[in-house]
Amino acid sequence: MANEAHPCPCDIGHRIEYGGLGHEVQVEHIKAYLTKSPVDAGKAVVVIQDIFGWQLPNTRYMADMIAGNGYTTIVPDFFVGQEPWHPSGDWSTFPEWLKTRNARKIDKEFDAVLKYLKQQCHAKRIGVVGFCWGGIAVHHVMMKYPELRAGVSVYGIIKDAEDVYSLKNPTLFIFAENDAVIPLEQVSLLTQKLKEHCKVEYQIKTFSGQTHGFVHRKREDCSPEDKPYIDEARRNLLEWLSKYV
């Protein structure tokens, strides 16, 4: 990691004030935030949290934005009741904290969520979107679940495995040029491996001048020069879902 003393700058950014359009539900052993689409088209998107957990207003805002485009969205608590990271936490303890929250060990929860979406929400086509920790989780599930029609991994990347290219369905990766967590060399390596081995559609897009968290943790009004990048990334995310889900 770029800086072991401060390994994840997800705290760079803003916690927005947002109440949400959805409601909380119980999905087997976990809680989740569910927003129904204004039109029931049989399409759903699982939205996977960052390190600040499933209740972060920013993530719920993104889920509601996606729902407004014709998808039932669900933000499950993939930490299964464990405390999310707190912005004022001691970053020297972060690596230990992260060991108990492995973004690649969520299959039990993911299975429960898929079952819920199919049985309770009548979803026939399902996609997945995730941010930071959730971006890693998206990378993982897109290599594991052929039934997912599309995935969008937003500043998340699997670093500790040789196989990062066995994607089952179309996946969009969104990165920030000035990301302290994901150096551009890692993005280049992923690009190379996907180019050599990947058999499905994929796209890797790096946004110049942006930092980790820019898509969901920067207020649009905080920096006028960032707004076009935030808008473009969100538009790309929605276009990818529209094309493949």
Side-chain angles (χ1 to χ4, degrees):
M1 289 194 176
N3 180 350
E4 286 301 338
H6 200 256
C8 183
C10 267
D11 59 327
I12 296 170
H14 306 269
R15 180 189 173 98
I16 61 171
E17 294 304 317
Y18 180 70
L21 302 174
H23 62 283
E24 295 185 3
V25 295
Q26 191 73 32
V27 179
E28 293 187 17
H29 62 295
I30 55 173
K31 290 180 176 175
Y33 172 78
L34 180 77
T35 307
K36 292 285 184 76
S37 161
V39 260
D40 181 13
K43 299 190 289 187
V45 174
V46 183
V47 179
I48 308 183
Q49 70 212 40
D50 64 12
I51 59 171
F52 297 108
W54 71 292
Q55 292 175 308
L56 183 76
N58 306 55
T59 307
R60 294 187 172 194
Y61 175 82
M62 295 300 294
D64 289 352
M65 180 194 80
I66 294 167
N69 283 269
Y71 309 88
T72 291
T73 58
I74 191 165
V75 186
D77 176 15
F78 281 108
F79 290 169
V80 198
Q82 292 187 98
E83 284 297 307
W85 183 255
H86 195 274
S88 62
D90 176 0
W91 285 98
S92 67
T93 66
F94 181 77
E96 282 303 311
W97 176 89
L98 196 58
K99 283 179 186 170
T100 61
R101 294 157 180 83
N102 188 334
R104 298 175 67 196
K105 292 192 174 163
I106 60 165
D107 294 1
K108 181 183 175 187
E109 289 69 43
F110 206 80
D111 288 340
V113 170
L114 289 180
K115 183 177 166 191
Y116 180 90
L117 287 174
K118 290 171 188 171
Q119 293 184 353
Q120 304 298 320
C121 306
H122 315 295
K124 294 181 173 55
R125 301 167 71 90
I126 300 172
V128 60
V129 173
F131 304 91
C132 177
W133 186 92
I136 300 169
V138 168
H139 195 168
H140 165 71
V141 297
M142 288 308 293
M143 295 195 295
K144 173 131 193 186
Y145 290 86
E147 66 201 279
L148 293 172
R149 298 297 185 109
V152 182
S153 170
V154 188
Y155 27 80
I157 191 169
I158 291 177
K159 307 175 184 180
D160 56 354
E162 184 58 32
D163 179 4
V164 293
Y165 48 78
S166 298
L167 300 170
K168 307 289 186 196
N169 272 310
T171 307
L172 168 64
F173 293 89
I174 291 174
F175 295 110
E177 182 186 30
N178 299 331
D179 191 328
V181 178
I182 305 171
L184 290 178
E185 308 87 77
Q186 289 184 346
V187 177
S188 298
L189 187 62
L190 176 66
T191 305
Q192 180 191 330
K193 289 199 170 184
L194 288 174
K195 197 172 178 182
E196 290 171 3
H197 304 289
C198 188
K199 294 180 171 57
V200 298
E201 289 293 315
Y202 68 88
Q203 186 181 355
I204 294 176
K205 193 157 183 185
T206 303
F207 284 79
S208 64
Q210 297 306 296
T211 54
H212 193 84
F214 81 99
V215 180
H216 80 302
R217 285 186 60 78
K218 263 188 185 171
R219 285 208 314 266
E220 288 90 335
D221 61 348
C222 74
S223 178
E225 63 269 23
D226 289 326
K227 189 172 181 352
Y229 296 107
I230 297 168
D231 291 345
E232 184 182 347
R234 291 179 179 181
R235 191 168 62 248
N236 292 161
L237 182 159
L238 291 169
E239 287 168 350
W240 193 264
L241 293 176
S242 174
K243 185 175 182 181
Y244 294 109
V245 178

